[in-house]
Every structure is written in C-alpha cells, then in structure tokens.
Amino acid sequence: MSDEQNKPVNEQELEAELGVDKEQTMTADDLEQAMNEDESMDRVAQLEAALEVANSTIEGQKDAVLRARADMENARRRAEQEVDKARKFALERFAGELLPVLDNLERAIQGADAENEAIKPVVEGVDLTLKSFINVVEKFGMVIVDPQGEAFNPELHQAMSMQETADFAPNTVMAVMQKGYTLNGRLLRPAMVMVSRAASGGVDTQV
C-alpha cells in the first residue's frame, strides 16, 4: 500500500524535476541565443569601425597621391621652363662677343669706296661675309634692331643726341649710329640713335 501511495508522489516529483530541467534548458538556449546575438552585434560594430578606419586611410592616401602628383607636375613644368630658358639664353654671352665683329664688318663696307674697281671684289666679299654671318646668328634667335624712321622706343633705343627738325615728327629716329640686337626677345644691346624733336619739346632718353 505504501508503494502505491509513493508512486504518484514520485511521478509528481519526477514531473516537477523534469519541468524544472526543461525550463532551465529553454532558459539556457535563450541565453545562448542572446549571447550569440550580442556577439554578432559586437562583430558588426567592429567591422563597421574597421571599415570606417579603412575608408579614412584610403581618403588620406588618395589626398597624398594627388598632392604628390601635383608636386611632380609642378616640378616637371619648372624643369621644362628652366631648360627652355637655358636653351634660349645659353648663347647670350657668346652672342654679345660677336657684336663687335658685326660692327666692324659693317664699318668696313660703309668706309670702302664701292666705285673703286680695285677693291670692289673685296667689298663684295666682305658684304657676303656679313650677310652670311647675320643669317647664322638669326637662326639662333638674334634679331637686328635698326629703327631708322621709327618712333623712339627707350626699351630698345638709346638716344645719343637730339636735333630739332621739320623733316621728322618729334621723337622719331633720324639716324642710327649703331644697330642694336635682341636674343629671343631679350635686349643684348640698344640701338644708338639720333632723335628728332620739336622746338619746344624733347624726348625721354631713359632706357
């Protein structure tokens, strides 16, 4: 009789025990799921943070590359300008040394008697030499400044004298004592000139 009375009690205890275990098992699953979700959210947050850092690094590197490219382009342009400048004016000193030679050849032709048959071949030879000389220097950027009859330009001409005249407008080059020369647009030597002026006027002779 005692066994039959104990049976329901054991079943209830068993069921109660099973019920507690079942509840405890569900709670553990829920806890594990929640922990997994928290871990997933933490992982996502970490990945997002890492992505933000990576994007920031990429932007910084992109700016650095653009700046480096701009610096290289500026350096290349400066180098090209320096090379071009050196190429244009490397012969400046040498060209300046040639000017007296050109002057002497011109003086020889101007001072020679072109009607004298005895020296006429020599004069013609000097004239051909002068023309060939001028053709050569012009190939390297030299240009003759011969402003006869032109308006006086203090940037290219140097007034050696002024003379009142009615034959020329004021501030006009009446005569050229010595031709000037430029090299690739840079003045090597100003032309020495005589400038006309009105009776009540003058000319600015500052170069």
Side-chain angles (χ1 to χ4, degrees), residues 18-157:
L18 290 176
V20 171
D21 292 342
K22 184 178 181 181
E23 183 177 355
Q24 290 178 348
T25 302
M26 292 178 62
T27 302
D29 292 340
D30 293 340
L31 181 59
E32 183 179 357
Q33 183 178 359
M35 291 177 62
N36 291 335
E37 291 178 355
D38 291 340
E39 291 178 356
S40 299
M41 292 179 64
D42 291 341
R43 182 58 178 168
V44 170
Q46 292 175 1
L47 292 174
E48 289 178 348
L51 180 60
E52 184 175 354
V53 172
N55 289 334
S56 178
T57 302
I58 291 173
E59 290 298 325
Q61 292 177 347
K62 185 186 296 183
D63 292 339
V65 169
L66 292 176
R67 285 194 297 268
R69 183 178 298 175
D71 291 341
M72 290 178 59
E73 184 66 19
N74 292 334
R76 183 185 64 80
R77 291 177 181 175
R78 286 194 297 269
E80 289 179 351
Q81 291 174 356
E82 291 297 327
V83 170
D84 186 61
K85 183 178 179 180
R87 180 184 61 80
K88 285 183 178 180
F89 302 111
L91 297 177
E92 184 172 1
R93 182 177 178 181
F94 177 69
E97 296 293 332
L98 294 179
L99 298 186
V101 180
L102 292 169
D103 294 338
N104 291 333
L105 290 174
E106 289 184 345
R107 292 191 189 100
I109 295 172
Q110 293 171 357
D113 184 4
E115 302 301 325
N116 189 335
E117 294 295 331
I119 64 171
K120 188 174 183 180
V122 176
V123 174
E124 291 177 349
V126 173
D127 185 56
L128 289 175
T129 301
L130 176 61
K131 290 179 179 178
S132 298
F133 204 159
I134 292 174
N135 289 334
V136 171
V137 297
E138 285 180 343
K139 290 180 180 179
F140 291 91
M142 283 184 61
V143 177
I144 299 175
V145 180
D146 186 8
Q148 177 70 40
E150 300 177 2
F152 177 77
N153 181 355
E155 294 183 356
L156 297 175
H157 314 150

